[in-house]
Amino acid sequence: MNYWNLIPWTISLISLIIAGLSFLHNSSKDKTASIREDDLKFDGIKESLLKANMKLDQVCATTNETRSDIKSLNKDLTEIDRRVSMMERDIKTAFNQIEELKGMVNNHD
């Protein structure tokens, strides 16, 4: 058996193994880089969602304050309506009394 014939085959086999290992190594680097990119994207999405939630919380707080202010205004309007009704009744009574007094003054003359 001639060992000199095995040398090219051995070199070819070693080169093939090195090429396969290099391919696998680069492939795992690409996967790792892809995972890192995806993590950065998800971090950006998480940050955006957090900001959106904070804005929604602010909107809810403002809405609750507005609702409270409207309730207070409704109470004030109800009180004003009650007072205006009382004043209208008192004015009507006063005008009726004035008319009665005019009638009494006219009858005495």
Side-chain angles (χ1 to χ4, degrees), residues 46-65:
K46 287 178 187 176
E47 185 178 326
S48 296
L49 287 174
L50 181 63
K51 286 180 182 178
N53 282 335
M54 288 172 55
K55 294 289 184 182
L56 284 174
D57 288 343
Q58 290 174 349
V59 168
C60 287
T62 303
T63 302
N64 288 335
E65 288 175 17

Side-chain angles (χ1 to χ4, degrees), residues 16-88:
L16 186 62
I17 290 172
I18 290 173
L21 291 174
S22 295
F23 175 77
L24 290 175
H25 181 69
N26 288 336
S27 176
S28 69
K29 278 187 178 179
D30 290 343
K31 285 181 184 178
T32 303
S34 175
I35 290 171
R36 284 187 187 142
E37 286 177 20
D38 289 344
D39 285 346
L40 289 175
K41 287 178 187 176
F42 286 129
D43 287 343
I45 291 171
K46 287 178 187 176
E47 185 178 326
S48 296
L49 287 174
L50 181 63
K51 286 180 182 178
N53 282 335
M54 288 172 55
K55 294 289 184 182
L56 284 174
D57 288 343
Q58 290 174 349
V59 168
C60 287
T62 303
T63 302
N64 288 335
E65 288 175 17
T66 304
R67 183 179 295 140
S68 176
D69 291 345
I70 288 172
K71 284 181 181 180
S72 177
L73 286 173
N74 282 335
K75 287 179 183 177
D76 291 345
L77 286 175
T78 301
E79 177 63 20
I80 290 170
D81 186 46
R82 184 186 67 77
R83 291 178 66 188
V84 167
S85 295
M86 285 176 44
M87 291 177 79
E88 286 176 343

